[in-house]
Amino acid sequence: MELAPLPVLSPVLPELILAIGALVLLMIGVFKGERGTALVTSLSVVVVVIAGLALLFMTPDGVTFSGAFVLDPFARFMKVLSLIGAGFAILMSADYARRESFDRFEYPVLIVIATLGMMLMISASDLISLYLGLELQSLALYVVTAINRDSEKSSEAGLKYFVLGALSSGILLYGASLVYGFTGHTDFAGIAAALSGGPASVGLVFGIVFVIAGIAFKVSAVPFHMWTPDVYEGAPTPVTAFLAAAPKAAAMAMFVRVLAGAFGPAVADWQQVITFVALASMLLGAFAAIGQRNIKRLMAYSSIGHMGFALVGLAAGTQAGVQGVIVYMAIYVAMTLGVFAVILFMRRRGSAVEEISDLAGLSRTHPVIAFIFAMLMFSLAGIPPLAGFFAKFYVFLAAIEAHLYMLSIVGVLSSVVGAFYYLRLVKVMYFDEPAGAFEPMSGSLRVVLGLSGAFVILYVVFAGPLGQAAAAAAKTFF
């Protein structure tokens, strides 16, 4: 009997670095105990950086594991984005975890494992490998959400996230089983070939809808958003920063690969579903955030709205639309990390504060931080010439070119409504009486905020190279 040939491992070099690194870090933590937490945290950032450098300079494009894993320009771009989000999230968490007494070595290890799941998910070219990557990411995220065992809110957030996440995984699996049953394939190329043969059957359309529903939960798109505000508020703030950045980019990459790749020939069947989800997400994100008083809950509704804007590009079903989604997610990750650097900085008299009113008078107590934060708010609102304006411009332009005029009009109106609560934060910082100075910002948070602010304010400098990289990535599917 002939043995099956060993799979080519060169395209999975970054994933191997993360997997081996996570195991080594776990052993260091086990043998050194809590004394090794700082070392494990530092080494986790090093592992993520090494994986990123290997991805950029040492890993060739290719397909392996019998077609279940693919590394192409799209996967490379989105993986770099996820690694940036994960690395900065670990960097921002060290000081906060120590002050809040949940600095355990397991935390950075779980972040590395979740990042490994994201990388596998982004490169998945088969429904089975996609599910394995998704669950590897999700199980680690459930644990880090509840990592602060002394906090009732953190435990509640972890439980809610786990229960609803398990439900979404079941929905995704049911959809995948329907797709397999009606096409006879789990690999994306086989599914696309089966869909090219003619109109999709009713059962296959149901399968596509269930798969979309399962993935929509991961990007917290309406109507699968119900976990987001409670989890964002209840989870420790560094965990919320991570949840809001890297997993969102990875889940959106999965959305693009499944719809533009596997279900590309059935664009007429899924375009209406994505259009509805985008419309509902933009509207709920715009209106539900207006009454929020907790800044983390506000950012939860903001993220729901921004996922709706990103899905506008996907709804177009064109190369320009996919390029818009890629650019949008890159800018969104940069803005989100900067905003959460400021939220982590909000400490007064030894304890973290989260109310919007606590930002009162920040321009007089910390003028530089207030200015960068105001620029981030203007960018989130989509005001030119900041990065957020270009993010929305690309997706709306793609939607207009695809004749989705109503989607574009509702998106612009939602953006105007959403600008209200972003500008309210600026008003609180610049025009309300100071509520008292915060404690000094740590060096790691200064680095993150500075880089985020520079990217958002000087986006016109980065727009050319980023746009070219996004265009090359989008060509993968067209």
Side-chain angles (χ1 to χ4, degrees), residues 98-156:
R98 186 171 59 255
R99 293 189 182 192
E100 297 295 320
S101 301
F102 71 92
D103 52 335
R104 302 183 181 92
F105 72 86
E106 296 95 332
Y107 172 74
V109 175
L110 286 165
I111 295 291
V112 172
I113 293 172
T115 307
L116 171 61
M118 285 183 256
M119 304 269 279
L120 294 172
M121 196 167 73
I122 292 169
S123 279
S125 190
D126 186 286
L127 290 172
I128 297 171
S129 60
L130 181 146
Y131 182 73
L132 291 174
L134 180 66
E135 285 304 292
L136 181 60
Q137 173 209 265
S138 298
L139 291 171
L141 292 182
Y142 300 150
V143 179
V144 294
T145 302
I147 194 77
N148 189 2
R149 294 191 292 261
D150 298 328
S151 168
E152 186 177 318
K153 290 175 71 174
S154 178
S155 301
E156 180 186 348

Short mmCIF file of all heavy atoms in Angstrom, two decimals, residues 98-156:
data_model
loop_
_atom_site.label_atom_id
_atom_site.label_comp_id
_atom_site.label_asym_id
_atom_site.label_seq_id
_atom_site.Cartn_x
_atom_site.Cartn_y
_atom_site.Cartn_z
N ARG A 98 -1.86 43.83 34.82
CA ARG A 98 -1.14 43.87 36.10
C ARG A 98 -1.90 44.71 37.12
O ARG A 98 -2.03 44.33 38.28
CB ARG A 98 0.27 44.43 35.88
CG ARG A 98 1.16 44.38 37.11
CD ARG A 98 2.59 44.74 36.78
NE ARG A 98 2.73 46.08 36.20
CZ ARG A 98 2.96 46.33 34.92
NH1 ARG A 98 3.08 45.33 34.06
NH2 ARG A 98 3.08 47.56 34.48
N ARG A 99 -2.44 45.84 36.69
CA ARG A 99 -3.16 46.72 37.62
C ARG A 99 -4.48 46.13 38.07
O ARG A 99 -4.93 46.37 39.18
CB ARG A 99 -3.41 48.08 36.95
CG ARG A 99 -2.14 48.87 36.68
CD ARG A 99 -2.49 50.27 36.22
NE ARG A 99 -1.31 51.06 35.90
CZ ARG A 99 -1.33 52.37 35.70
NH1 ARG A 99 -2.47 53.03 35.78
NH2 ARG A 99 -0.22 53.02 35.42
N GLU A 100 -5.12 45.36 37.16
CA GLU A 100 -6.43 44.79 37.51
C GLU A 100 -6.31 43.37 38.07
O GLU A 100 -7.32 42.69 38.27
CB GLU A 100 -7.32 44.78 36.27
CG GLU A 100 -7.65 46.16 35.72
CD GLU A 100 -8.48 47.00 36.67
OE1 GLU A 100 -9.38 46.44 37.32
OE2 GLU A 100 -8.20 48.21 36.79
N SER A 101 -5.10 42.91 38.29
CA SER A 101 -4.82 41.62 38.95
C SER A 101 -5.36 40.41 38.20
O SER A 101 -5.88 39.47 38.79
CB SER A 101 -5.38 41.63 40.39
OG SER A 101 -4.81 42.68 41.12
N PHE A 102 -5.28 40.44 36.85
CA PHE A 102 -5.57 39.21 36.12
C PHE A 102 -4.44 38.91 35.13
O PHE A 102 -4.65 38.32 34.07
CB PHE A 102 -6.94 39.27 35.42
CG PHE A 102 -7.02 40.19 34.22
CD1 PHE A 102 -6.78 39.75 32.94
CD2 PHE A 102 -7.38 41.52 34.39
CE1 PHE A 102 -6.86 40.60 31.86
CE2 PHE A 102 -7.48 42.38 33.31
CZ PHE A 102 -7.22 41.91 32.03
N ASP A 103 -3.23 39.31 35.53
CA ASP A 103 -2.07 39.07 34.66
C ASP A 103 -1.60 37.63 34.81
O ASP A 103 -0.72 37.32 35.59
CB ASP A 103 -0.94 40.07 34.96
CG ASP A 103 -0.57 40.11 36.43
OD1 ASP A 103 -1.44 39.77 37.26
OD2 ASP A 103 0.57 40.47 36.75
N ARG A 104 -2.23 36.76 34.03
CA ARG A 104 -1.89 35.33 34.05
C ARG A 104 -1.20 34.98 32.74
O ARG A 104 -1.52 35.54 31.69
CB ARG A 104 -3.15 34.49 34.22
CG ARG A 104 -3.93 34.82 35.49
CD ARG A 104 -5.13 33.91 35.66
NE ARG A 104 -5.86 34.25 36.86
CZ ARG A 104 -6.89 35.11 36.90
NH1 ARG A 104 -7.29 35.69 35.79
NH2 ARG A 104 -7.52 35.38 38.03
N PHE A 105 -0.28 34.04 32.78
CA PHE A 105 0.48 33.71 31.58
C PHE A 105 -0.40 33.09 30.50
O PHE A 105 -0.05 33.10 29.32
CB PHE A 105 1.65 32.77 31.92
CG PHE A 105 1.23 31.36 32.26
CD1 PHE A 105 1.05 30.43 31.25
CD2 PHE A 105 1.03 30.97 33.58
CE1 PHE A 105 0.67 29.12 31.55
CE2 PHE A 105 0.64 29.68 33.88
CZ PHE A 105 0.47 28.75 32.86
N GLU A 106 -1.54 32.54 30.91
CA GLU A 106 -2.42 31.93 29.92
C GLU A 106 -2.98 32.94 28.93
O GLU A 106 -3.27 32.60 27.77
CB GLU A 106 -3.61 31.22 30.60
CG GLU A 106 -3.24 30.05 31.48
CD GLU A 106 -3.11 30.46 32.94
OE1 GLU A 106 -2.78 31.65 33.19
OE2 GLU A 106 -3.32 29.60 33.81
N TYR A 107 -3.12 34.21 29.37
CA TYR A 107 -3.77 35.21 28.53
C TYR A 107 -3.05 35.43 27.19
O TYR A 107 -3.66 35.28 26.12
CB TYR A 107 -3.93 36.52 29.31
CG TYR A 107 -4.43 37.67 28.48
CD1 TYR A 107 -5.75 37.74 28.07
CD2 TYR A 107 -3.57 38.69 28.07
CE1 TYR A 107 -6.21 38.78 27.30
CE2 TYR A 107 -4.01 39.74 27.31
CZ TYR A 107 -5.34 39.78 26.92
OH TYR A 107 -5.78 40.82 26.14
N PRO A 108 -1.76 35.79 27.19
CA PRO A 108 -1.09 35.97 25.89
C PRO A 108 -1.01 34.68 25.06
O PRO A 108 -1.04 34.74 23.83
CB PRO A 108 0.31 36.48 26.27
CG PRO A 108 0.50 36.10 27.69
CD PRO A 108 -0.85 36.11 28.31
N VAL A 109 -0.91 33.53 25.74
CA VAL A 109 -0.88 32.26 25.01
C VAL A 109 -2.20 32.05 24.27
O VAL A 109 -2.23 31.64 23.10
CB VAL A 109 -0.60 31.08 25.97
CG1 VAL A 109 -0.69 29.75 25.21
CG2 VAL A 109 0.77 31.23 26.61
N LEU A 110 -3.31 32.35 24.94
CA LEU A 110 -4.62 32.21 24.30
C LEU A 110 -4.79 33.17 23.14
O LEU A 110 -5.42 32.84 22.12
CB LEU A 110 -5.73 32.42 25.34
CG LEU A 110 -5.94 31.28 26.33
CD1 LEU A 110 -6.78 31.73 27.51
CD2 LEU A 110 -6.61 30.10 25.62
N ILE A 111 -4.22 34.37 23.26
CA ILE A 111 -4.28 35.33 22.16
C ILE A 111 -3.52 34.77 20.95
O ILE A 111 -3.97 34.87 19.80
CB ILE A 111 -3.69 36.69 22.58
CG1 ILE A 111 -4.53 37.33 23.68
CG2 ILE A 111 -3.58 37.62 21.36
CD1 ILE A 111 -5.89 37.80 23.24
N VAL A 112 -2.36 34.17 21.20
CA VAL A 112 -1.58 33.56 20.11
C VAL A 112 -2.36 32.42 19.46
O VAL A 112 -2.40 32.28 18.23
CB VAL A 112 -0.21 33.07 20.62
CG1 VAL A 112 0.52 32.28 19.53
CG2 VAL A 112 0.65 34.25 21.07
N ILE A 113 -3.02 31.59 20.28
CA ILE A 113 -3.81 30.48 19.75
C ILE A 113 -4.99 30.99 18.94
O ILE A 113 -5.30 30.48 17.85
CB ILE A 113 -4.28 29.56 20.89
CG1 ILE A 113 -3.08 28.86 21.52
CG2 ILE A 113 -5.29 28.53 20.38
CD1 ILE A 113 -3.41 28.08 22.79
N ALA A 114 -5.66 32.05 19.43
CA ALA A 114 -6.77 32.65 18.68
C ALA A 114 -6.27 33.20 17.34
O ALA A 114 -6.94 33.08 16.31
CB ALA A 114 -7.42 33.76 19.50
N THR A 115 -5.08 33.79 17.36
CA THR A 115 -4.49 34.32 16.12
C THR A 115 -4.18 33.20 15.14
O THR A 115 -4.40 33.35 13.93
CB THR A 115 -3.21 35.11 16.44
OG1 THR A 115 -3.49 36.09 17.44
CG2 THR A 115 -2.68 35.81 15.21
N LEU A 116 -3.71 32.07 15.65
CA LEU A 116 -3.49 30.90 14.80
C LEU A 116 -4.80 30.46 14.14
O LEU A 116 -4.83 30.17 12.93
CB LEU A 116 -2.90 29.76 15.64
CG LEU A 116 -2.79 28.39 14.97
CD1 LEU A 116 -1.89 28.46 13.74
CD2 LEU A 116 -2.28 27.34 15.97
N GLY A 117 -5.88 30.44 14.92
CA GLY A 117 -7.19 30.10 14.36
C GLY A 117 -7.61 31.07 13.27
O GLY A 117 -8.15 30.67 12.23
N MET A 118 -7.35 32.36 13.50
CA MET A 118 -7.69 33.37 12.49
C MET A 118 -6.92 33.14 11.20
O MET A 118 -7.45 33.26 10.09
CB MET A 118 -7.38 34.76 13.02
CG MET A 118 -8.35 35.29 14.04
SD MET A 118 -7.92 36.96 14.49
CE MET A 118 -7.20 36.70 16.08
N MET A 119 -5.62 32.83 11.33
CA MET A 119 -4.78 32.62 10.15
C MET A 119 -5.28 31.42 9.34
O MET A 119 -5.34 31.46 8.11
CB MET A 119 -3.34 32.38 10.58
CG MET A 119 -2.74 33.48 11.44
SD MET A 119 -1.92 34.73 10.50
CE MET A 119 -0.36 33.96 10.19
N LEU A 120 -5.64 30.34 10.04
CA LEU A 120 -6.17 29.16 9.36
C LEU A 120 -7.50 29.47 8.68
O LEU A 120 -7.78 29.01 7.56
CB LEU A 120 -6.35 28.01 10.35
CG LEU A 120 -5.06 27.45 10.96
CD1 LEU A 120 -5.38 26.45 12.07
CD2 LEU A 120 -4.20 26.78 9.89
N MET A 121 -8.32 30.27 9.35
CA MET A 121 -9.64 30.64 8.84
C MET A 121 -9.52 31.47 7.56
O MET A 121 -10.25 31.26 6.58
CB MET A 121 -10.34 31.44 9.93
CG MET A 121 -11.81 31.61 9.80
SD MET A 121 -12.44 32.25 11.36
CE MET A 121 -11.88 33.94 11.33
N ILE A 122 -8.58 32.40 7.54
CA ILE A 122 -8.38 33.28 6.39
C ILE A 122 -7.93 32.48 5.16
O ILE A 122 -8.32 32.79 4.03
CB ILE A 122 -7.36 34.39 6.73
CG1 ILE A 122 -7.96 35.35 7.76
CG2 ILE A 122 -6.94 35.16 5.48
CD1 ILE A 122 -6.94 36.32 8.36
N SER A 123 -7.12 31.45 5.39
CA SER A 123 -6.59 30.65 4.28
C SER A 123 -7.45 29.44 3.94
O SER A 123 -7.11 28.68 3.03
CB SER A 123 -5.16 30.17 4.61
OG SER A 123 -4.22 31.19 4.37
N ALA A 124 -8.54 29.24 4.67
CA ALA A 124 -9.36 28.06 4.44
C ALA A 124 -9.96 28.08 3.04
O ALA A 124 -10.51 29.08 2.60
CB ALA A 124 -10.47 27.98 5.49
N SER A 125 -9.83 26.97 2.34
CA SER A 125 -10.43 26.83 1.01
C SER A 125 -11.34 25.61 0.96
O SER A 125 -11.57 25.03 -0.08
CB SER A 125 -9.32 26.70 -0.04
OG SER A 125 -9.86 26.80 -1.33
N ASP A 126 -11.85 25.24 2.13
CA ASP A 126 -12.72 24.08 2.28
C ASP A 126 -13.60 24.35 3.49
O ASP A 126 -13.14 24.94 4.47
CB ASP A 126 -11.88 22.82 2.47
CG ASP A 126 -12.72 21.56 2.48
OD1 ASP A 126 -13.41 21.32 3.50
OD2 ASP A 126 -12.69 20.82 1.49
N LEU A 127 -14.84 23.94 3.43
CA LEU A 127 -15.76 24.22 4.54
C LEU A 127 -15.30 23.57 5.84
O LEU A 127 -15.53 24.11 6.94
CB LEU A 127 -17.17 23.73 4.18
CG LEU A 127 -17.90 24.52 3.10
CD1 LEU A 127 -19.20 23.82 2.71
CD2 LEU A 127 -18.19 25.94 3.57
N ILE A 128 -14.64 22.42 5.75
CA ILE A 128 -14.18 21.73 6.95
C ILE A 128 -13.00 22.47 7.58
O ILE A 128 -12.97 22.72 8.79
CB ILE A 128 -13.81 20.27 6.64
CG1 ILE A 128 -15.05 19.51 6.16
CG2 ILE A 128 -13.21 19.59 7.87
CD1 ILE A 128 -14.77 18.13 5.63
N SER A 129 -12.01 22.85 6.77
CA SER A 129 -10.87 23.60 7.32
C SER A 129 -11.31 24.97 7.83
O SER A 129 -10.77 25.48 8.81
CB SER A 129 -9.78 23.75 6.26
OG SER A 129 -10.25 24.44 5.12
N LEU A 130 -12.30 25.57 7.17
CA LEU A 130 -12.84 26.84 7.65
C LEU A 130 -13.43 26.68 9.05
O LEU A 130 -13.17 27.50 9.94
CB LEU A 130 -13.90 27.34 6.68
CG LEU A 130 -14.58 28.68 6.99
CD1 LEU A 130 -14.91 29.40 5.68
CD2 LEU A 130 -15.87 28.49 7.77
N TYR A 131 -14.18 25.62 9.24
CA TYR A 131 -14.81 25.40 10.55
C TYR A 131 -13.77 25.12 11.62
O TYR A 131 -13.89 25.61 12.75
CB TYR A 131 -15.80 24.23 10.45
CG TYR A 131 -16.52 23.98 11.75
CD1 TYR A 131 -17.51 24.84 12.20
CD2 TYR A 131 -16.17 22.89 12.55
CE1 TYR A 131 -18.16 24.61 13.41
CE2 TYR A 131 -16.81 22.65 13.75
CZ TYR A 131 -17.80 23.53 14.18
OH TYR A 131 -18.44 23.31 15.37
N LEU A 132 -12.73 24.36 11.29
CA LEU A 132 -11.68 24.07 12.27
C LEU A 132 -10.97 25.35 12.70
O LEU A 132 -10.73 25.57 13.89
CB LEU A 132 -10.68 23.08 11.68
CG LEU A 132 -11.19 21.65 11.47
CD1 LEU A 132 -10.14 20.82 10.74
CD2 LEU A 132 -11.55 21.00 12.80
N GLY A 133 -10.63 26.20 11.74
CA GLY A 133 -9.99 27.47 12.08
C GLY A 133 -10.90 28.37 12.90
O GLY A 133 -10.46 29.00 13.87
N LEU A 134 -12.17 28.40 12.53
CA LEU A 134 -13.14 29.22 13.24
C LEU A 134 -13.29 28.79 14.69
O LEU A 134 -13.31 29.61 15.61
CB LEU A 134 -14.49 29.13 12.52
CG LEU A 134 -15.65 29.92 13.12
CD1 LEU A 134 -15.39 31.42 13.01
CD2 LEU A 134 -16.95 29.57 12.40
N GLU A 135 -13.36 27.49 14.91
CA GLU A 135 -13.53 27.00 16.28
C GLU A 135 -12.27 27.17 17.12
O GLU A 135 -12.34 27.45 18.32
CB GLU A 135 -13.95 25.52 16.26
CG GLU A 135 -15.39 25.32 15.87
CD GLU A 135 -16.34 26.10 16.77
OE1 GLU A 135 -16.48 25.77 17.95
OE2 GLU A 135 -16.96 27.06 16.27
N LEU A 136 -11.10 27.02 16.51
CA LEU A 136 -9.86 27.25 17.24
C LEU A 136 -9.79 28.69 17.72
O LEU A 136 -9.41 28.96 18.87
CB LEU A 136 -8.66 26.93 16.34
CG LEU A 136 -7.27 27.11 16.97
CD1 LEU A 136 -7.11 26.21 18.18
CD2 LEU A 136 -6.18 26.81 15.94
N GLN A 137 -10.19 29.62 16.85
CA GLN A 137 -10.24 31.02 17.26
C GLN A 137 -11.29 31.25 18.34
O GLN A 137 -11.04 31.86 19.37
CB GLN A 137 -10.56 31.91 16.06
CG GLN A 137 -10.80 33.37 16.43
CD GLN A 137 -11.75 34.07 15.48
OE1 GLN A 137 -11.32 34.71 14.55
NE2 GLN A 137 -13.05 33.97 15.73
N SER A 138 -12.49 30.72 18.11
CA SER A 138 -13.63 31.01 18.99
C SER A 138 -13.41 30.47 20.41
O SER A 138 -13.69 31.16 21.39
CB SER A 138 -14.92 30.43 18.40
OG SER A 138 -15.20 31.02 17.15
N LEU A 139 -12.92 29.24 20.53
CA LEU A 139 -12.74 28.64 21.86
C LEU A 139 -11.74 29.43 22.68
O LEU A 139 -11.92 29.61 23.90
CB LEU A 139 -12.30 27.18 21.72
CG LEU A 139 -13.37 26.23 21.15
CD1 LEU A 139 -12.77 24.88 20.86
CD2 LEU A 139 -14.54 26.10 22.12
N ALA A 140 -10.68 29.92 22.03
CA ALA A 140 -9.71 30.76 22.76
C ALA A 140 -10.34 32.09 23.17
O ALA A 140 -10.11 32.58 24.28
CB ALA A 140 -8.47 30.99 21.89
N LEU A 141 -11.18 32.66 22.30
CA LEU A 141 -11.81 33.94 22.61
C LEU A 141 -12.82 33.82 23.74
O LEU A 141 -12.96 34.73 24.55
CB LEU A 141 -12.48 34.52 21.36
CG LEU A 141 -11.56 34.98 20.24
CD1 LEU A 141 -12.37 35.57 19.09
CD2 LEU A 141 -10.55 36.01 20.74
N TYR A 142 -13.53 32.69 23.79
CA TYR A 142 -14.48 32.50 24.90
C TYR A 142 -13.75 32.55 26.24
O TYR A 142 -14.24 33.13 27.22
CB TYR A 142 -15.19 31.14 24.79
CG TYR A 142 -15.99 30.94 23.52
CD1 TYR A 142 -16.15 29.65 22.99
CD2 TYR A 142 -16.58 32.01 22.86
CE1 TYR A 142 -16.88 29.45 21.84
CE2 TYR A 142 -17.31 31.80 21.70
CZ TYR A 142 -17.46 30.52 21.19
OH TYR A 142 -18.17 30.32 20.04
N VAL A 143 -12.57 31.95 26.29
CA VAL A 143 -11.82 31.88 27.55
C VAL A 143 -11.26 33.25 27.92
O VAL A 143 -11.37 33.68 29.07
CB VAL A 143 -10.70 30.83 27.45
CG1 VAL A 143 -9.90 30.79 28.76
CG2 VAL A 143 -11.27 29.46 27.15
N VAL A 144 -10.66 33.96 26.95
CA VAL A 144 -10.05 35.26 27.30
C VAL A 144 -11.12 36.28 27.69
O VAL A 144 -10.86 37.19 28.47
CB VAL A 144 -9.16 35.83 26.17
CG1 VAL A 144 -7.95 34.97 25.95
CG2 VAL A 144 -9.93 36.05 24.89
N THR A 145 -12.33 36.13 27.15
CA THR A 145 -13.41 37.04 27.53
C THR A 145 -13.72 36.92 29.02
O THR A 145 -14.02 37.92 29.69
CB THR A 145 -14.68 36.75 26.70
OG1 THR A 145 -14.38 36.90 25.31
CG2 THR A 145 -15.80 37.71 27.06
N ALA A 146 -13.65 35.70 29.55
CA ALA A 146 -13.93 35.47 30.97
C ALA A 146 -12.66 35.30 31.80
O ALA A 146 -12.69 34.72 32.87
CB ALA A 146 -14.81 34.22 31.12
N ILE A 147 -11.53 35.84 31.31
CA ILE A 147 -10.23 35.61 31.96
C ILE A 147 -10.16 36.23 33.35
O ILE A 147 -9.46 35.75 34.23
CB ILE A 147 -9.08 36.15 31.07
CG1 ILE A 147 -7.72 35.63 31.53
CG2 ILE A 147 -9.08 37.66 31.03
CD1 ILE A 147 -7.41 34.23 31.15
N ASN A 148 -10.91 37.32 33.56
CA ASN A 148 -10.90 37.97 34.88
C ASN A 148 -11.94 37.29 35.76
O ASN A 148 -13.08 37.73 35.87
CB ASN A 148 -11.19 39.47 34.73
CG ASN A 148 -10.97 40.22 36.03
OD1 ASN A 148 -10.56 39.63 37.04
ND2 ASN A 148 -11.23 41.51 36.03
N ARG A 149 -11.54 36.22 36.40
CA ARG A 149 -12.48 35.39 37.16
C ARG A 149 -13.08 36.11 38.36
O ARG A 149 -14.13 35.70 38.86
CB ARG A 149 -11.78 34.11 37.63
CG ARG A 149 -11.36 33.18 36.50
CD ARG A 149 -10.93 31.84 37.03
NE ARG A 149 -9.69 31.93 37.79
CZ ARG A 149 -8.50 31.62 37.32
NH1 ARG A 149 -8.38 31.24 36.07
NH2 ARG A 149 -7.42 31.71 38.07
N ASP A 150 -12.42 37.16 38.82
CA ASP A 150 -12.93 37.90 39.98
C ASP A 150 -14.02 38.90 39.60
O ASP A 150 -14.64 39.50 40.47
CB ASP A 150 -11.79 38.65 40.68
CG ASP A 150 -10.73 37.71 41.22
OD1 ASP A 150 -11.11 36.58 41.61
OD2 ASP A 150 -9.55 38.08 41.25
N SER A 151 -14.25 39.08 38.32
CA SER A 151 -15.25 40.04 37.84
C SER A 151 -16.51 39.31 37.41
O SER A 151 -16.47 38.44 36.53
CB SER A 151 -14.69 40.87 36.68
OG SER A 151 -15.72 41.60 36.06
N GLU A 152 -17.63 39.66 38.02
CA GLU A 152 -18.91 39.05 37.65
C GLU A 152 -19.28 39.40 36.21
O GLU A 152 -19.79 38.56 35.46
CB GLU A 152 -19.99 39.55 38.61
CG GLU A 152 -21.33 38.86 38.42
CD GLU A 152 -22.36 39.33 39.44
OE1 GLU A 152 -21.99 39.47 40.63
OE2 GLU A 152 -23.51 39.55 39.06
N LYS A 153 -19.00 40.65 35.80
CA LYS A 153 -19.34 41.08 34.44
C LYS A 153 -18.52 40.33 33.40
O LYS A 153 -19.02 39.98 32.34
CB LYS A 153 -19.12 42.59 34.30
CG LYS A 153 -20.12 43.43 35.08
CD LYS A 153 -19.77 44.91 35.02
CE LYS A 153 -20.03 45.49 33.67
NZ LYS A 153 -19.84 46.96 33.64
N SER A 154 -17.26 40.07 33.70
CA SER A 154 -16.41 39.33 32.77
C SER A 154 -16.89 37.89 32.62
O SER A 154 -16.95 37.36 31.50
CB SER A 154 -14.96 39.36 33.25
OG SER A 154 -14.12 38.61 32.41
N SER A 155 -17.24 37.26 33.73
CA SER A 155 -17.74 35.88 33.67
C SER A 155 -19.06 35.81 32.89
O SER A 155 -19.28 34.90 32.08
CB SER A 155 -17.95 35.34 35.08
OG SER A 155 -16.74 35.36 35.81
N GLU A 156 -19.92 36.79 33.13
CA GLU A 156 -21.20 36.83 32.41
C GLU A 156 -20.98 37.02 30.91
O GLU A 156 -21.62 36.37 30.08
CB GLU A 156 -22.06 37.96 32.96
CG GLU A 156 -23.41 38.10 32.28
CD GLU A 156 -24.17 39.33 32.76
OE1 GLU A 156 -23.77 39.95 33.75
OE2 GLU A 156 -25.17 39.67 32.10
#
